[in-house]
Amino acid sequence: EAQVTQNPRYLITVTGKKLTVTCSQNMNHEYMSWYRQDPGLGLRQIYYSMNVEVTDKGDVPEGYKVSRKEKRNFPLILESPSPNQTSLYFCASSYSLSSYEQYFGPGTRLTVT
Amino acid sequence: QKEVEQDPGPLSVPEGAIVSLNCTYSNSVFQYFMWYRQYSRKGPELLMYTYSSGNKEDGRFTAQVDKSSKYISLFIRDSQPSDSATYLCGGSWGKLQFGAGTQVVVTP
């Protein structure tokens, strides 16, 4: 089954404790991205990657890091989480940057206290 | 200012009614226009897309784009409780921009 998986689905952590959210896709997509979804603000892109070792900032990259060492994986790293990073995070993949169809993962609900 | 503006709702309608959702956008470069549907505790899924202006119909769903007024619309005919979800509009010019999403509740 074609899918994007994320782990963990729910995470509660404390300010400053480094964490990683994993993302994996099995569709051989070149393009992957991370979004955060907040009430009233919708989906905002954090980082994206057009291929292995090629990443770039999205609209709200501050406080986040990513890496793309393998085509299927695109982890999101919060080196020092803060309460304003409490949000719902989605990983997505698509065939290309310009594709109108992105495949989203199930989401990771992060709470930073 | 966001590139795509969308009323967050919620929009509550009785079963069988027509649901009308609208968005406005500011980026004239958008070529594709999309509607994604997001059920509770799930990721968004592409519902429909259109290229440039015009209408597109898929079963009970009709998407419309008016580039002259920068308006994106989605109509759901004969709405069902299973249509209860958040609907996100968006535009793409090589990068997708989404609206905030409108929560739709269809009551039996």
Side-chain angles (χ1 to χ4, degrees), chain B residues 17-91:
Chain B
I18 294 175
V19 176
S20 176
L21 301 171
N22 300 294
C23 297
T24 59
Y25 67 94
S26 58
N27 192 335
S28 300
V29 186
F30 283 162
Q31 293 183 311
Y32 288 94
F33 301 87
M34 305 82 62
W35 284 94
Y36 279 73
R37 180 173 60 193
Q38 184 178 15
Y39 290 115
S40 180
R41 297 188 181 86
K42 301 281 189 182
E45 291 181 308
L46 181 67
L47 179 63
M48 294 183 71
Y49 78 93
T50 56
Y51 177 72
S52 194
S53 278
N55 293 3
K56 187 171 185 177
E57 193 171 313
D58 184 1
R60 297 183 295 112
F61 299 86
T62 299
Q64 287 184 351
V65 176
D66 183 344
K67 294 189 83 173
S68 62
S69 59
K70 294 189 173 66
Y71 220 68
I72 311 167
S73 302
L74 178 71
F75 301 97
I76 308 173
R77 293 181 298 280
D78 188 25
S79 58
Q80 304 294 311
S82 59
D83 295 326
S84 297
T86 296
Y87 291 81
L88 298 97
C89 60

